[in-house]
Amino acid sequence: MELNDRNKVFEVLKELNIECELHEHPPTPTIEEAVKYWGQMKSTHCKNLFFRNHKGNKHYLVIFEHQQQLMIRDLEQKLKQGKLSFASEKRMSKYLGVKPGSVSLFGLINDNDNHVYVFFDKNLLNSEFLSFHPNDNTASLKISQSDFQKFLIWSGNEHEFLDLY
């Protein structure tokens, strides 16, 4: 799959009978820029961070509500995975098939070996709708909580919900 090919995301969602609402917008590599375009989109907008451990042999996708701030040191203590650092662009491409500014839950579509472990803030379970980039930052996709759960099961990636803040 080519980097940022959101057609693959739509193919998988269709295969899983997951309904989504697409909101196109200009490229938004940061949350601060994306907020300008979410307007009428009623959902919990998610921040998606991609980390590696200090040895570089384990990778973690951390997903939480976009308005929350996490300090890496605090996150390391909560995740109990040792020292973390942001994954490089090369690692984003290899494990999620995305570029910086486009990290998303849907990157798991490209993780064929289920290498990436996913941590979610447990507060996301209280949201009726969630939104993520479709593996590129020129749109946002809104999906229901039940479809979010369906996709997560389909991905096969190990995951857990934690109290991140």
Side-chain angles (χ1 to χ4, degrees), residues 1-164:
M1 178 180 142
E2 287 185 29
L3 286 178
N4 300 326
D5 184 2
R6 65 173 149 167
N7 291 331
K8 176 84 176 203
V9 173
F10 293 118
E11 288 173 17
V12 169
L13 296 180
K14 183 177 180 180
E15 173 186 313
L16 296 172
N17 293 316
I18 290 177
E19 292 185 26
C20 64
E21 186 177 301
L22 178 67
H23 293 262
E24 301 271 358
H25 49 67
T28 55
T30 66
I31 291 291
E32 294 75 25
E33 292 175 50
V35 168
K36 299 174 193 174
Y37 301 102
W38 287 333
Q40 301 299 320
M41 191 176 180
K42 302 295 181 209
S43 68
T44 298
H45 304 291
C46 296
K47 185 180 282 189
N48 307 265
L49 301 177
F50 191 52
F51 294 97
R52 67 173 188 85
N53 68 351
H54 70 285
K55 292 181 182 178
N57 62 350
K58 294 185 180 179
H59 294 82
Y60 309 100
L61 181 59
V62 180
I63 300 176
F64 53 98
E65 199 275 327
H66 81 280
Q67 293 179 328
Q68 300 300 324
Q69 297 294 320
L70 292 176
M71 302 299 292
I72 291 181
R73 186 171 194 77
D74 295 340
L75 185 62
E76 289 169 345
Q77 292 173 354
K78 289 182 183 286
L79 301 185
K80 298 178 173 69
Q81 301 298 314
K83 185 169 171 40
L84 300 175
S85 60
F86 287 105
S88 66
E89 183 173 350
K90 183 178 177 181
R91 290 171 190 268
M92 284 181 198
S93 174
K94 179 178 179 178
Y95 294 107
L96 298 177
V98 300
K99 292 182 179 178
S102 297
V103 174
S104 168
L105 169 72
F106 299 121
L108 298 177
I109 289 169
N110 300 308
D111 184 19
N112 299 323
D113 298 327
N114 299 111
H115 173 81
V116 177
Y117 195 96
V118 189
F119 291 101
F120 296 95
D121 182 69
K122 70 179 182 180
N123 290 311
L124 295 179
L125 293 170
N126 299 323
S127 299
E128 184 178 0
F129 294 98
L130 301 159
S131 65
F132 305 91
H133 286 308
N135 289 351
D136 75 44
N137 62 17
T138 62
S140 297
L141 280 181
K142 175 181 170 181
I143 62 172
S144 70
Q145 178 69 232
S146 60
D147 284 340
F148 163 70
Q149 296 290 333
K150 185 188 299 185
F151 177 83
L152 191 55
I153 291 166
W154 172 87
S155 79
N157 289 75
E158 291 186 57
H159 63 276
E160 59 186 288
F161 288 85
L162 300 172
D163 185 5
L164 293 181

